């Protein structure tokens, strides 16, 4: 039975176009995603969203709360708890302003799409409830980009709790994809007193599910996912609690994963280095020649 790997039908044509020089790769946009965990009787569960089928990118696929970096969050010194901006810059492989913006994006997107906020009135506190009308008004303003996350934190006198995040992995959308993101994946535990809410305008379903169960659904072809999503789930299956996963995060390798493609024996072979399970062989109907053989796309750190 086929698994649930998300694979757009236009990819073969775009891969060929990239290989013959008629497609110029789009510069990836910086983004952040948060794998939110909570402990249960049978181990940790993960909060996942199913993207609306109408979405241009990965419609119908299960994913985590996340989205693009807001450049307004890189030049404002917000109140900050946990590892320093310099520490985060080294960890994420960017400068300090970029590190602040990426961490802000992770925390903001989780608030926007799940109603969970990793911030509090002091460096050792977290807000207990974000369900009131005033919170919802601020959340809606953030979604509409009428309010920057830095402004939101300042206005409420909140400290961003970067110590409640762990950087887990980094993936860059393939060079042949129309919409490209350079995404840092973080892990976090659901703060005491808070609960997730189904508020994302990009999702039609939200679930708490054990990584083992989500992976089983993917393997059966019942749950559609992009490679980074299922890869992260498989990695998290090794941990018995959310705290264990967070404790493991600082030792994780953040070298970016970028898909590679080549023409081999009349097939396009698509691979993700270090993740053999995602290898795809797609018939082209064209015999391979030296003129037609594409070079392996290259990539690197995000912009």
């Amino acid at each position: 039975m086929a698994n649930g790997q998300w694979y757009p039908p236009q990819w073969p044509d775009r891969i060929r176009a990239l290989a013959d020089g008629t497609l110029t790769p789009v510069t990836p946009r910086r983004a952040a995603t948060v794998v939110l965990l909570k402990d249960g009787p049978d181990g940790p569960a993960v909060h996942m969203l199913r993207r609306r089928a109408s979405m241009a990118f990965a419609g119908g696929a299960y994913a985590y709360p996340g989205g693009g970096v807001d450049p307004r969050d890189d030049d404002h010194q917000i109140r900050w708890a946990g590892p320093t901006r310099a520490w985060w810059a080294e960890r994420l492989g960017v400068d300090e302003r970029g590190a602040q913006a990426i961490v802000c994006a992770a925390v903001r997107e989780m608030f926007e799409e799940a109603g969970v906020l990793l911030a509090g009135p002091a460096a050792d506190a977290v807000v207990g409830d974000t369900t009131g009308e005033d919170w919802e008004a601020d959340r809606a303003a953030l979604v509409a980009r009428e309010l920057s996350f830095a402004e939101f934190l300042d206005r409420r006198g909140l400290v961003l709790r970067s110590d409640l995040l762990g950087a887990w992995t980094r993936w860059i959308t393939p060079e042949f994809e129309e919409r490209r993101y350079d995404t840092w994946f973080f892990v976090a535990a659901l703060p005491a007193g808070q609960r997730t809410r189904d508020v994302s305008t990009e999702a039609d379903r939200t679930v708490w599910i054990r990584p083992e169960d989500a992976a089983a659904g993917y393997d059966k072809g019942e749950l559609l996912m992009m490679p980074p999503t299922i890869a992260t789930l498989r990695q998290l299956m090794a941990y018995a609690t959310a705290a264990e996963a967070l404790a493991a995060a600082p030792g994780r390798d953040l070298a970016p994963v970028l898909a590679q493609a080549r023409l081999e024996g009349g097939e396009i072979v698509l691979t993700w280095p270090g993740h053999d399970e995602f290898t795809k062989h797609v018939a082209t109907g064209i015999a391979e020649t030296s003129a037609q053989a594409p070079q392996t796309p290259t990539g690197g750190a995000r912009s």
Side-chain angles (χ1 to χ4, degrees), residues 8-87:
Q10 68 270 23
W11 270 11
D13 288 341
R14 295 186 64 83
I15 290 170
R16 284 191 290 269
L18 179 66
D20 64 24
T22 59
L23 174 67
T24 301
V26 175
T27 300
R29 179 185 177 190
R30 288 181 173 179
T33 289
V34 181
V35 185
L36 185 63
L37 303 166
K38 72 173 181 180
D39 290 327
D42 299 318
V46 177
H47 180 68
M48 303 190 75
L49 318 173
R50 185 175 66 187
R51 294 173 60 81
R52 295 185 183 278
S54 59
M55 297 293 293
F57 182 79
Y62 280 79
Y64 313 115
V69 166
D70 186 341
R72 294 177 296 176
D73 290 332
D74 71 0
D75 61 357
H76 184 95
Q77 288 291 307
I78 62 175
R79 298 172 68 193
W80 185 279
T84 65
R85 292 169 179 80
W87 184 94

Side-chain angles (χ1 to χ4, degrees), residues 14 26 56-57 173-174 177-181:
R14 295 186 64 83
V26 175
F57 182 79
T173 308
E177 175 54 50
E178 183 177 3
R179 293 171 177 80
R180 300 190 67 212
Y181 299 93

Side-chain angles (χ1 to χ4, degrees), residues 11-299:
W11 270 11
D13 288 341
R14 295 186 64 83
I15 290 170
R16 284 191 290 269
L18 179 66
D20 64 24
T22 59
L23 174 67
T24 301
V26 175
T27 300
R29 179 185 177 190
R30 288 181 173 179
T33 289
V34 181
V35 185
L36 185 63
L37 303 166
K38 72 173 181 180
D39 290 327
D42 299 318
V46 177
H47 180 68
M48 303 190 75
L49 318 173
R50 185 175 66 187
R51 294 173 60 81
R52 295 185 183 278
S54 59
M55 297 293 293
F57 182 79
Y62 280 79
Y64 313 115
V69 166
D70 186 341
R72 294 177 296 176
D73 290 332
D74 71 0
D75 61 357
H76 184 95
Q77 288 291 307
I78 62 175
R79 298 172 68 193
W80 185 279
T84 65
R85 292 169 179 80
W87 184 94
W88 277 108
E90 182 176 0
R91 179 74 179 119
L92 301 178
V94 298
D95 60 24
E96 291 189 28
R97 291 176 58 173
Q100 175 176 293
I102 292 164
V103 172
C104 280
V107 178
R108 186 197 72 242
E109 287 288 338
M110 190 161 55
F111 180 53
E112 288 182 4
E113 298 192 0
V116 171
L117 182 61
L118 300 184
D124 59 352
V126 179
V127 296
D129 183 13
T130 63
T131 60
E133 291 184 5
D134 58 332
W135 286 105
E136 181 57 26
D138 279 349
R139 193 195 65 78
L142 287 167
V143 172
R145 296 298 181 262
E146 298 167 355
L147 181 69
S148 75
F149 193 62
E151 292 168 339
F152 162 74
L153 293 174
D154 272 355
R155 193 167 74 184
R156 286 188 170 269
L158 295 175
V159 181
L160 185 146
R161 293 289 305 276
S162 80
D163 54 319
L164 300 181
L165 284 173
W168 191 261
T169 191
R170 179 183 176 187
W171 290 64
I172 301 177
T173 308
E175 291 185 318
F176 43 81
E177 175 54 50
E178 183 177 3
R179 293 171 177 80
R180 300 190 67 212
Y181 299 93
D182 184 357
T183 306
W184 283 264
F185 286 68
F186 295 83
V187 292
L190 180 67
Q194 294 192 37
R195 59 184 178 85
T196 56
R197 293 185 286 135
D198 186 2
V199 291
S200 174
T201 58
E202 297 181 354
D204 60 12
R205 185 188 182 202
T206 64
V207 296
W208 280 102
I209 185 169
R210 294 192 316 141
E212 295 87 345
D213 295 334
Y218 169 90
D219 290 337
K220 295 175 183 176
E222 298 170 353
L223 301 183
L224 185 66
M225 298 181 202
M226 293 174 281
T229 307
I230 180 60
T232 304
L233 287 170
R234 296 203 196 284
Q235 292 157 0
L236 289 169
M237 288 166 57
Y239 302 97
T241 66
E244 284 187 12
L246 280 165
R252 296 276 308 167
D253 182 5
L254 293 187
V257 179
L258 176 68
Q260 299 176 346
R262 65 184 186 275
L263 189 61
E264 186 177 282
E267 288 185 325
I268 290 173
V269 181
L270 180 60
T271 62
W272 279 260
H275 299 271
D276 292 343
E277 75 162 296
F278 305 128
T279 299
K280 282 281 189 181
H281 294 258
V282 183
T284 64
I286 302 173
E288 182 179 2
T289 69
S290 58
Q292 294 167 336
Q295 300 298 311
T296 300
T298 59

